[in-house]
Amino acid sequence: PTPKPTPNPTPKPISTPTTSPHQCGNALCELSENAANCPIDCSSKEIETTYEFNLGSSGNMFVVKARRNIVVSSFAINSKSRGVGAVKIYTRAGSYTNHEQSRDGWELVYENDSVINNRRGVVTELGFLDREIHIAKDRSQSFFVTSTNGLVYKGGEKEFSVYQSDEGMEIMEGIGTEGEFEGITYSPRVWSGTIWYNVVEATSSPSKSLTKLPSKSPSVSSHTSKPTSHPTPSKPTPIPTSSPTRLPTPHPTPKPTPNPTPKPISTPTTSPHQCGNALCELSENAANCPIDCSSKEIETTYEFNLGSSGNMFVVKARRNIVVSSFAINSKSRGVGAVKIYTRAGSYTNHEQSRDGWELVYENDSVINNRRGVVTELGFLDREIHIAKDRSQSFFVTSTNGLVYKGGEKEFSVYQSDEGMEIMEGIGTEGEFEGITYSPRVWSGTIWYNVVEATSSPSKSLTKLPSKSPSVSSHTSKPTSHPTPSKPTPIPTSSPTRLPTPHPTPKPTP
């Protein structure tokens, strides 16, 4: 025996490591493996495209090509807006080309009216399909995912090019859709989501499980001159074949182009509105285009290098908007109390006094995430209406603290979209007391709707009876502009709806 073993026992690496039947457990479903003989590698496979986005509409169509015999079982989506909504998934064998405007040949394999959608960029899992979709090796299958809450996604480079793949499947770039088998389409688009599937053994007749369609190429004539020799095995179409589609397109073409927009439109706002392009245009609002104008989300940043107990900052409306919800960047994890105050106009000279501020959110049991991770607060106790070109101040404070970035100039615009501008503000210590730090960039997210102008938008900014309440401890003279909605539950002996628990005889300016 060798008294000292050689450090390199194999002088030459083995060039064919797969000489064994399979290497189950290496996270790769090899050619000799499947869900039956190696479930750890070949079952519940997960393939994700991307959760980055810059566009959105009501749905996506795209093609999946199987590289092995696979069974698709579940989806996750990237929702455009949070809350409960309806999601449907249709499928058909082969490509969706020339089938974008017709239900014929599509099978509904998932329908749920009560999907709880997460915010944009966060996975919304749908659970199992109503039936699994078998796709044989080298076959293609189209999917159409549509949601009443909308979907967000990225623009692509070339329709039908491979965007994502693994050992089991390829996911192609597809199109964005408006409506369910009607309306305009956008190409190319990258569906944003996740697919779960199993790799299975080949069957004796895999093609039978692809779809329930009786014919691969249905008649293109306006009526059937001769009955098909392969009638539909499930149930006949509810509308006779005197019409080629169940929902005729409002502007039919003899042969629709698979890429209706060869070049992006440089001036999209020349028409009344182009609902579904992820931009709430001037002619649109939450009533006539909810997919673009409701549950709008604007984020400053979740980067941070500073922190304190709270932030004050100003929002300026670029449209008539209604603010409904916030998310924050907490300084420490765990359960804590969060409050949000608001007032019309600037917070300048109001940093140290509760007068004129309205408490619109209070929750003593917020479950705070770690720093840099979104902590959603849910809906405000009441929505905040801000008229176009008006400013509204917000004061967010947390017992767990907030983290944020240092700014460049207080009241300069840090982030904006078509609906609002968020200004750089200040960091605060204590609740209307203590030192402040300027400039600071509040770290968080605001959700809002773009709404139609009201006859008197300024009245909806706040429920405060007076724009400049008295600084004395009581109201010597009633305001000349009482609250238009309902009287304050506390008499005007106190200047605010929620009097301070620690009044001062003379508030500091």
Side-chain angles (χ1 to χ4, degrees):
T2 306
K4 186 179 181 181
T6 173
N8 300 305
T10 305
K12 187 177 180 182
I14 298 170
S15 59
T16 56
T18 55
T19 51
S20 60
H22 57 83
Q23 295 180 342
C24 188
N26 62 355
L28 179 69
C29 187
E30 299 171 5
L31 292 176
S32 59
E33 299 171 343
N34 55 60
N37 65 18
C38 186
I40 196 170
D41 289 345
C42 302
S43 64
S44 298
K45 297 286 292 179
E46 178 178 333
I47 181 170
E48 176 185 304
T49 54
T50 178
Y51 281 86
E52 296 177 359
F53 60 92
N54 58 0
L55 298 168
S57 64
S58 67
N60 287 104
M61 287 185 186
F62 59 96
V63 173
V64 164
K65 183 177 180 181
R67 304 176 73 174
R68 301 280 300 276
N69 295 292
I70 62 174
V71 176
V72 175
S73 59
S74 184
F75 278 66
I77 58 174
N78 193 354
S79 303
K80 189 173 184 183
S81 63
R82 295 184 303 163
V84 177
V87 176
K88 295 180 183 178
I89 301 177
Y90 295 84
T91 192
R92 65 177 298 128
S95 173
Y96 55 78
T97 302
N98 297 332
H99 303 288
E100 301 92 333
Q101 303 289 328
S102 171
R103 296 175 187 269
D104 293 344
W106 290 93
E107 180 187 2
L108 182 64
V109 292
Y110 180 88
E111 185 174 16
N112 187 345
D113 295 333
S114 303
V115 172
I116 301 174
N117 296 272
N118 291 317
R119 66 180 183 90
R120 303 176 189 181
V122 176
V123 176
T124 295
E125 294 189 16
L126 301 181
F128 290 109
L129 302 179
D130 298 335
R131 82 163 181 88
E132 296 178 328
I133 310 302
H134 293 250
I135 313 175
K137 181 181 177 182
D138 297 325
R139 296 293 183 94
S140 295
Q141 190 84 4
S142 292
F143 291 94
F144 174 31
V145 184
T146 180
S147 170
T148 56
N149 287 47
L151 302 177
V152 288
Y153 46 72
K154 284 173 55 175
E157 295 185 358
K158 185 179 179 183
E159 190 176 358
F160 302 115
S161 64
V162 177
Y163 181 82
Q164 185 64 280
S165 65
D166 64 5
E167 65 268 30
M169 70 162 68
E170 299 171 344
I171 302 178
M172 316 293 185
E173 294 187 11
I175 60 174
T177 62
E178 285 300 342
E180 203 166 310
F181 303 109
E182 61 182 359
I184 59 177
T185 60
Y186 312 98
S187 174
R189 297 293 186 267
V190 176
W191 173 69
S192 176
T194 308
I195 297 176
W196 284 269
Y197 69 97
N198 293 344
V199 178
V200 297
E201 294 181 276
T203 61
S204 57
S205 54
S207 62
K208 289 182 180 179
S209 64
L210 285 172
T211 70
K212 292 181 179 179
L213 299 177
S215 169
K216 191 174 181 181
S217 303
S219 170
V220 295
S221 64
S222 61
H223 60 87
T224 305
S225 58
K226 183 180 179 182
T228 174
S229 58
H230 303 288
T232 305
S234 56
K235 59 180 180 178
T237 174
I239 297 178
T241 54
S242 57
S243 174
T245 64
R246 200 168 83 176
L247 285 177
T249 173
H251 304 289
T253 56
K255 186 179 180 182
T257 171
N259 299 307
T261 307
K263 186 178 180 181
I265 298 170
S266 58
T267 56
T269 57
T270 53
S271 60
H273 59 85
Q274 295 182 342
C275 188
N277 62 356
L279 179 70
C280 187
E281 298 170 7
L282 291 176
S283 58
E284 299 172 344
N285 55 60
N288 65 18
C289 186
I291 195 167
D292 288 346
C293 302
S294 63
S295 297
K296 297 287 292 180
E297 178 179 331
I298 181 170
E299 176 183 304
T300 55
T301 177
Y302 281 86
E303 297 177 357
F304 60 92
N305 58 0
L306 299 167
S308 64
S309 67
N311 286 104
M312 287 185 185
F313 60 95
V314 173
V315 165
K316 184 177 180 181
R318 304 177 72 176
R319 302 279 300 278
N320 295 293
I321 62 174
V322 177
V323 175
S324 59
S325 184
F326 278 65
I328 59 173
N329 194 354
S330 302
K331 190 175 183 181
S332 63
R333 293 187 302 171
V335 177
V338 176
K339 295 180 183 179
I340 301 178
Y341 296 84
T342 191
R343 65 176 298 130
S346 172
Y347 56 79
T348 302
N349 297 329
H350 303 287
E351 302 92 333
Q352 303 290 327
S353 171
R354 297 175 187 269
D355 292 343
W357 290 94
E358 180 187 2
L359 182 63
V360 292
Y361 180 89
E362 185 175 16
N363 187 344
D364 295 333
S365 303
V366 172
I367 301 174
N368 296 272
N369 291 318
R370 63 182 178 84
R371 303 177 188 181
V373 176
V374 175
T375 295
E376 294 190 16
L377 300 181
F379 290 109
L380 302 179
D381 298 334
R382 80 163 183 89
E383 296 177 328
I384 310 302
H385 293 250
I386 314 176
K388 182 182 177 182
D389 297 325
R390 296 294 183 93
S391 295
Q392 190 84 2
S393 292
F394 291 95
F395 173 30
V396 184
T397 180
S398 171
T399 56
N400 286 47
L402 303 177
V403 289
Y404 45 72
K405 283 173 56 176
E408 295 184 358
K409 185 180 180 182
E410 189 176 355
F411 300 115
S412 64
V413 176
Y414 181 82
Q415 184 64 281
S416 65
D417 63 4
E418 65 268 31
M420 71 162 67
E421 298 172 345
I422 302 178
M423 316 294 186
E424 294 187 12
I426 61 174
T428 63
E429 288 296 347
E431 201 166 311
F432 302 109
E433 61 183 359
I435 59 175
T436 61
Y437 313 97
S438 174
R440 296 294 186 265
V441 176
W442 173 70
S443 176
T445 307
I446 297 176
W447 285 270
Y448 69 96
N449 294 343
V450 178
V451 297
E452 293 182 275
T454 61
S455 57
S456 55
S458 61
K459 291 181 181 179
S460 64
L461 286 172
T462 71
K463 289 184 176 178
L464 298 177
S466 173
K467 192 174 180 182
S468 303
S470 171
V471 296
S472 64
S473 61
H474 60 86
T475 302
S476 59
K477 183 180 178 181
T479 174
S480 59
H481 302 289
T483 306
S485 55
K486 60 182 181 178
T488 173
I490 297 176
T492 54
S493 59
S494 174
T496 64
R497 202 170 78 174
L498 289 175
T500 172
H502 305 290
T504 55
K506 185 177 180 182
T508 172

